[in-house]
Amino acid sequence: MWPGQTGTIADFTIGSGFQCNVSLADFAKTMTEQPDSTIESERASEGSVLDPLIEPKWYALYTRSRFEKKMLSELTDRRIEVFLPMREVLSRWKDRKKRIWIPLFPGYIFVNHVDTPENRFRILNIPGAVRFVGFEGRANQVPAEQILSVRKFLEASISVDPYPYMQVGTQVEVIAGPLKGIRGMLVEKRGRFRFVIKVDLIRQAVSVEIDASDVRQV
């Protein structure tokens, strides 16, 4: 790991907002006069929005070598939510050194969408896309908590390292600092402790140096 190495994220989010001014009396009157059928209709509508069959999920998309940033741009242009974790490294050229951003997990980009044949075809038809990661011809979901953990790693602006994927280690939870609440594994490397989180589907992991007093065993 190079000195001063940090991580960041590249992703795409759509948002909107509005303001509405109304007196408390008018608001109370509106609520008391609202027909029961309208309330039930709104509840039904809310239920349909939260239908797990149409709720977007995170999936790992395998890309051609060095096409991760291209896929980020293409998917963003299509208004598809994507997450490309990246880290800053010091690149040594012949006559100089330069800091550049590279994917934290080379060959992978995460896509948040409703997994339908139409949506898969639309994405896989983009030059550079190879396949969704899964088994027996089906795309498997990446747990949202693993995406959140990677985001928090990178947003904390601390030095991060790719780490060999492994199955063993002491399961812990961070209880202090910017990573508080994240669960992962505590391992020892060269006499120092490192906190490791995994993305199981793509068999990749990322680690950060941590004080053993900042974690508790779970």
Side-chain angles (χ1 to χ4, degrees), residues 118-185:
E118 294 79 9
N119 286 344
R120 286 197 300 271
F121 177 80
R122 181 164 64 122
I123 293 173
L124 293 176
N125 203 38
I126 300 174
V130 177
R131 60 180 173 83
F132 281 99
V133 181
F135 305 96
E136 298 180 353
R138 297 183 58 184
N140 287 55
Q141 297 174 17
V142 178
E145 58 269 21
Q146 293 186 2
I147 296 291
L148 178 61
S149 294
V150 175
R151 283 184 184 274
K152 291 190 71 172
F153 251 54
L154 301 180
E155 290 171 352
S157 297
I158 51 182
S159 298
V160 297
D161 258 342
Y163 202 85
Y165 183 85
M166 58 187 182
Q167 297 288 359
V168 296
T170 303
Q171 294 291 324
V172 297
E173 179 180 350
V174 180
I175 59 175
L179 302 179
K180 183 178 180 179
I182 297 181
R183 292 190 176 190
M185 291 189 300

Side-chain angles (χ1 to χ4, degrees), residues 54-65:
I54 61 174
E55 185 179 355
K57 303 289 185 182
W58 285 103
Y59 298 87
L61 177 65
Y62 184 59
T63 73
R64 291 177 56 187
S65 178

Side-chain angles (χ1 to χ4, degrees), residues 18 25 30-32 35 37 45 49 58-59 65 93 98 120 123 175 180 192-194 210:
F18 66 92
T30 301
M31 293 301 293
T32 56
S37 60
S45 175
V49 171
W58 285 103
Y59 298 87
S65 178
W93 294 8
K98 182 180 180 181
R120 286 197 300 271
I123 293 173
I175 59 175
K180 183 178 180 179
R192 298 188 176 186
F193 289 105
R194 298 196 71 85
I210 197 168

Side-chain angles (χ1 to χ4, degrees), residues 1-190:
M1 179 177 66
W2 291 274
Q5 177 179 311
T6 59
T8 189
I9 63 174
D11 64 354
F12 175 69
T13 306
I14 304 174
S16 62
F18 66 92
Q19 292 183 334
C20 179
N21 298 317
V22 61
S23 70
L24 291 177
D26 290 342
F27 178 73
K29 182 178 179 182
T30 301
M31 293 301 293
T32 56
E33 292 179 350
Q34 186 176 27
D36 291 343
S37 60
T38 303
I39 296 175
E40 293 302 322
S41 175
E42 289 181 352
R43 287 175 179 170
S45 175
E46 291 174 357
S48 64
V49 171
L50 299 177
D51 187 339
L53 295 178
I54 61 174
E55 185 179 355
K57 303 289 185 182
W58 285 103
Y59 298 87
L61 177 65
Y62 184 59
T63 73
R64 291 177 56 187
S65 178
R66 301 188 179 183
F67 266 73
E68 301 93 347
K69 295 179 183 179
K70 176 67 173 177
M71 290 300 303
L72 172 68
S73 177
E74 292 286 348
L75 291 167
T76 299
D77 288 344
R78 289 164 172 75
R79 303 177 70 82
I80 298 172
E81 185 180 3
V82 292
F83 173 43
L84 176 60
M86 292 193 293
R87 63 189 182 109
E88 187 182 30
V89 300
L90 185 63
S91 177
R92 292 179 173 84
W93 294 8
K94 291 183 178 180
D95 57 342
R96 59 194 174 98
K97 299 178 181 179
K98 182 180 180 181
R99 292 192 173 275
I100 60 174
W101 293 97
I102 63 173
L104 182 61
F105 306 129
Y108 296 97
I109 187 169
F110 300 100
V111 181
N112 189 33
H113 77 143
V114 178
D115 185 41
T116 64
E118 294 79 9
N119 286 344
R120 286 197 300 271
F121 177 80
R122 181 164 64 122
I123 293 173
L124 293 176
N125 203 38
I126 300 174
V130 177
R131 60 180 173 83
F132 281 99
V133 181
F135 305 96
E136 298 180 353
R138 297 183 58 184
N140 287 55
Q141 297 174 17
V142 178
E145 58 269 21
Q146 293 186 2
I147 296 291
L148 178 61
S149 294
V150 175
R151 283 184 184 274
K152 291 190 71 172
F153 251 54
L154 301 180
E155 290 171 352
S157 297
I158 51 182
S159 298
V160 297
D161 258 342
Y163 202 85
Y165 183 85
M166 58 187 182
Q167 297 288 359
V168 296
T170 303
Q171 294 291 324
V172 297
E173 179 180 350
V174 180
I175 59 175
L179 302 179
K180 183 178 180 179
I182 297 181
R183 292 190 176 190
M185 291 189 300
L186 185 67
V187 298
E188 188 174 356
K189 181 180 180 181
R190 297 175 184 172

